[in-house]
């Protein structure tokens, strides 16, 4: 069965071809100004984000994610913040003890814009970068291997356990286990499912540990990589520009406030 | 209890069309081996027999039951399915409880359950290990526990998914013995296997699948003799069969006795 093990969308686009570090720099050149520069800046950052979505040719997956995950989150936050943020004089709406003021709504709008920028830029990074490519590039630049392993396995553990659970459920149903009827029966049927799942996962962790150690995971020597990740001059220049832009946005903030 | 498959097609949610129009009848009491390359659709096909997968189009009847109209738990009373990896199904503290799980789910009487469990344990040579925790035994014995736990359900149809993978010669002989015993009891045995010698020695009928379709279907000797056609699904005939061909024997031989008789 073909289960999608990450968010990655395997298409060819200028964004896909960028070095992973450059993409990470792009993400932070969105997030840092959004959170640390003028609050008015954050909503405008939606423009480069939307452009990036189309350059990366991941519109379908991005808007899918936006609809299912991002929009519900930021809508909820917007409502809560509008209702509960104290201060502000211009009352727009009065709901019993709660006042929705112009100021609280404005502040809520800036907050959700920041959240939107953060989630969206990370989403685009994950949609256009294979997680193992990102991690091998970062480990090559000095990120500890253990750290990369933790991130990679976190990204993969859910889909893997899901696939394993499916097999176990199929095996136990084949032995006449009723998983389709009353709630009480279903609770009782959890035991035959959890046992093999937990045991199997422990065995898998041990096997994986042995497998990566057999390839010198904790070896202190400098490792070479079979898979070369290109880092052309264009990427280096772009990263330089991004650093300047981020500094400029901070300076702007200091200047105007 | 016959299995009647008509125009079976199945497409996975990912869009992969795994079965492309299968027509097959398996009669009560037949011993059928299903062979074919990886991805030919063998597991997808047998997962339809107990309703784990439902056809995209076409029908499957187990006796007079159409699989789409019954739950897997219900179909389990007619079709027993031994999964490839025993660790996907073993969860009990000891062998006896594990083997009792299936027949108890099917709601047999207490006395009958006891009898079925004892029979399954002796068939798989586990009688002296009833109090052991399955995970304290070697993988080959865990495979036998998985076999016993399905045999104890006393279903008229039993499916084995690659029973001999990773097993030593002694255990392969044990598994062959179990299959022979099930045949004597008049049960239908369907086995997916890549072990072509095991297939030649224990099965009367062989179905070769390729790319979601039936490539060959017939008595083992006829199917295993067709070296060129089998090559399409990356199956080699048994060594004895190929040797017989090279020696120019008139008939196709698949087993030792036949070979010895033919060269006399």
């Amino acid at each position: 069965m073909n289960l999608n093990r990450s968010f990655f969308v395997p298409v060819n686009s200028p964004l896909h071809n960028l070095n992973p570090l450059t993409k990470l720099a792009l993400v932070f050149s969105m997030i840092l100004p959004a959170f640390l520069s003028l609050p008015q800046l954050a909503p405008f950052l939606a423009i480069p984000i939307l452009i990036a979505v189309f350059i990366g040719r991941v519109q379908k997956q991005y808007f899918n994610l936006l609809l299912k995950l991002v929009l519900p989150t930021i809508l909820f936050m917007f409502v809560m913040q509008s209702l509960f943020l104290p201060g502000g004089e211009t009352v727009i709406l009065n709901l019993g003890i709660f006042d929705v003021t112009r100021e609280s709504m404005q502040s809520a709008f800036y907050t959700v814009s920041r959240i939107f920028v953060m989630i969206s830029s990370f989403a685009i990074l994950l949609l256009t970068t294979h997680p193992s490519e990102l991690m091998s590039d970062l480990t090559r630049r000095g990120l500890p291997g253990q750290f990369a392993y933790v991130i990679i396995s976190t990204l993969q553990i859910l889909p893997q356990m899901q696939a394993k659970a499916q097999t176990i459920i199929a095996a136990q149903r084949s032995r006449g286990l009723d998983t389709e009827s009353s709630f009480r029966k279903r609770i009782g049927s959890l035991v035959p499912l959890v046992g093999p799942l937990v045991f199997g996962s422990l065995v898998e962790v041990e096997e994986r540990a042995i497998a990566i150690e057999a390839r010198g995971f904790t070896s202190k020597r400098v490792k070479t990589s079979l898979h070369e990740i290109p880092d052309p001059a264009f990427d280096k220049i772009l990263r330089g520009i991004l650093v300047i832009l981020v500094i400029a946005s901070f300076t702007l903030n200091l200047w105007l406030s | 209890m016959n299995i009647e498959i008509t125009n079976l097609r199945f497409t996975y949610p990912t869009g992969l069309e795994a079965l492309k129009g299968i027509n097959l009848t398996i009669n009560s009491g037949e011993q059928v081996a299903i062979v074919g390359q990886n991805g030919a659709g063998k597991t997808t096909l047998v997962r339809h027999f107990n309703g784990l997968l439902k056809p995209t189009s076409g029908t499957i009847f187990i006796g007079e039951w159409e699989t789409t109209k019954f739950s897997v738990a219900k179909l389990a009373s007619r079709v027993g399915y031994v999964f490839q990896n025993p660790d996907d199904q073993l969860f009990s503290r000891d062998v006896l409880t594990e083997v009792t799980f299936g027949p108890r789910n099917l709601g047999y009487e207490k006395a009958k359950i006891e009898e079925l469990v004892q029979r399954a344990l002796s068939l798989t040579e586990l009688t002296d290990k009833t109090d052991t925790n399955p995970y304290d035994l070697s993988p080959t014995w865990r495979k036998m526990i998985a076999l016993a736990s399905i045999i104890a359900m006393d279903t008229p149809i039993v499916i084995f998914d690659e029973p001999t993978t990773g097993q030593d010669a002694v255990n392969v002989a044990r598994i062959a013995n179990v299959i022979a015993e099930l045949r004597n009891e008049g049960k239908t045995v369907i086995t997916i296997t890549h072990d072509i010698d095991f297939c030649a020695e224990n099965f009367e009928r062989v179905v070769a699948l390729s790319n979601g379709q039936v490539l060959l279907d017939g008595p083992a000797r006829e199917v295993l003799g067709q070296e060129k056609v089998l090559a399409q699904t990356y199956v080699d005939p048994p060594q004895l069969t190929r040797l017989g061909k090279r020696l120019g024997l008139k008939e196709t031989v698949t087993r030792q006795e036949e070979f010895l008789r033919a060269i006399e």
Side-chain angles (χ1 to χ4, degrees), chain A residues 67-140:
Chain A
L67 217 61
K68 284 185 189 154
L69 181 74
V70 186
L71 274 185
T73 318
I74 62 176
L75 272 180
F76 176 77
M77 285 187 66
F78 183 73
V79 172
M80 295 313 270
Q81 292 237 337
S82 306
L83 283 175
F84 294 111
L85 269 191
E89 285 128 29
T90 342
V91 176
I92 294 176
L93 189 65
N94 181 277
L95 298 167
I97 53 165
F98 303 114
D99 282 335
V100 177
T101 63
R102 211 181 110 85
E103 287 78 7
S104 70
M105 268 184 78
Q106 194 175 33
S107 164
F109 177 67
Y110 290 143
T111 309
V112 299
S113 300
R114 287 168 165 170
I115 301 289
F116 169 82
V117 168
M118 183 171 76
I119 304 181
S120 291
S121 25
F122 268 116
I124 297 169
L125 174 75
L126 290 177
L127 287 168
T128 60
T129 318
H130 197 280
S132 64
E133 180 138 317
L134 176 65
M135 285 306 142
S136 53
D137 192 54
L138 292 183
T139 32
R140 208 189 51 191

